[in-house]
Amino acid sequence: MPAASTVLTSRAAVTRRSWLSHGFSGIAYLEVRSCHDFHRRRGSRLERPTGSDRPSEPGTTLRSEQQRPEVPLLLGAWGPRGAALAGRIAGEIKVGGSANPDMVPVMRERLLVGASRIGRDVAEIGVVLGAVTVVDTDGEAARARARTEVAMYLAVVAELDPTVALPDGLVAEVGRLVDAGRDEEAGTLIPDDVLDRFAFSGTPEQVARQAQSLIDAGVRRVEFGTPHGLTDDRGVELLGTEVLPLLSR
């Protein structure tokens, strides 16, 4: 997956690459498995890796100067097992494809399971939420574009969110239309309240209200994902000049 080009502020991140990639989950799994094995080898009390713990081949001498006391780790997960692992080894957990503030306390509870096993304060673990973002001064056009985007992954994320009750048959019908290549038609079936749980969309004021609800729920960071706007450049411009100034801690 290409490296993300990101504009960071203390309040949010504007990510220029989509988190959706068939290869990403496999890469993440290998990294997590490697970290898990590393921690298992260290002993019964799990500790996060530090720069000085980098493995090397026999006979290799490392002369690099340690720049920070530990390696920051963000783990992407929705489920209880992934969150529990993050509670033990990660600095942050990312819930990708969600703009739902109700997921924040759910993830805190799931993080606590792992954190409590090693006596770790769960409050030190940051919760990050991010999803498709479409912002434009034409709010209706932005939300229509977002509906099309969400239609393509609703079937994946909807079942992962225990706080959302979807209309009967919605996921199946949206999936059927997407499979037939009718993405825009599928998007028209997604109600406003469902759209707001899985994407940031609308005018700058609407998107800012969504992001602020996550900040108020206790997230450490909000990540605004592609396509950002009706065009990428215009979306990033509006996020930086119209949305971020409306946010506060």
Side-chain angles (χ1 to χ4, degrees), residues 85-154:
L85 178 60
R88 293 156 57 196
I89 68 172
E92 293 181 330
I93 186 169
K94 165 74 179 290
V95 184
S98 178
N100 182 5
D102 293 339
M103 277 301 297
V104 178
V106 171
M107 298 311 294
R108 285 283 177 208
E109 291 180 4
R110 293 175 176 179
L111 287 167
L112 182 61
V113 173
S116 61
R117 291 178 182 171
I118 61 169
R120 188 181 182 195
D121 182 0
V122 72
E124 72 180 54
I125 307 165
V127 176
V128 179
L129 265 68
V132 155
T133 303
V134 187
V135 60
D136 195 85
T137 52
D138 185 342
E140 290 186 8
R143 289 178 69 78
R145 173 70 185 276
R147 281 187 168 87
T148 301
E149 297 289 333
V150 171
M152 292 185 280
Y153 66 86
L154 181 65

Side-chain angles (χ1 to χ4, degrees), residues 118-225:
I118 61 169
R120 188 181 182 195
D121 182 0
V122 72
E124 72 180 54
I125 307 165
V127 176
V128 179
L129 265 68
V132 155
T133 303
V134 187
V135 60
D136 195 85
T137 52
D138 185 342
E140 290 186 8
R143 289 178 69 78
R145 173 70 185 276
R147 281 187 168 87
T148 301
E149 297 289 333
V150 171
M152 292 185 280
Y153 66 86
L154 181 65
V156 176
V157 296
E159 66 181 18
L160 301 176
D161 190 330
T163 74
V164 173
L166 299 179
D168 290 343
L170 175 65
V171 171
E173 182 61 13
V174 167
R176 184 185 70 79
L177 291 172
V178 169
D179 288 344
R182 296 154 64 184
D183 298 346
E184 290 187 16
E185 185 179 349
T188 64
L189 301 179
I190 299 175
D192 283 339
D193 60 333
V194 174
L195 178 65
D196 288 341
R197 298 292 182 171
F198 298 107
F200 303 99
S201 65
T203 64
E205 292 77 16
Q206 287 175 299
V207 171
R209 282 195 295 271
Q210 286 186 270
Q212 188 65 53
S213 71
L214 294 179
I215 293 170
D216 294 343
V219 299
R220 178 176 294 177
R221 188 171 67 256
V222 175
E223 293 189 354
F224 296 119

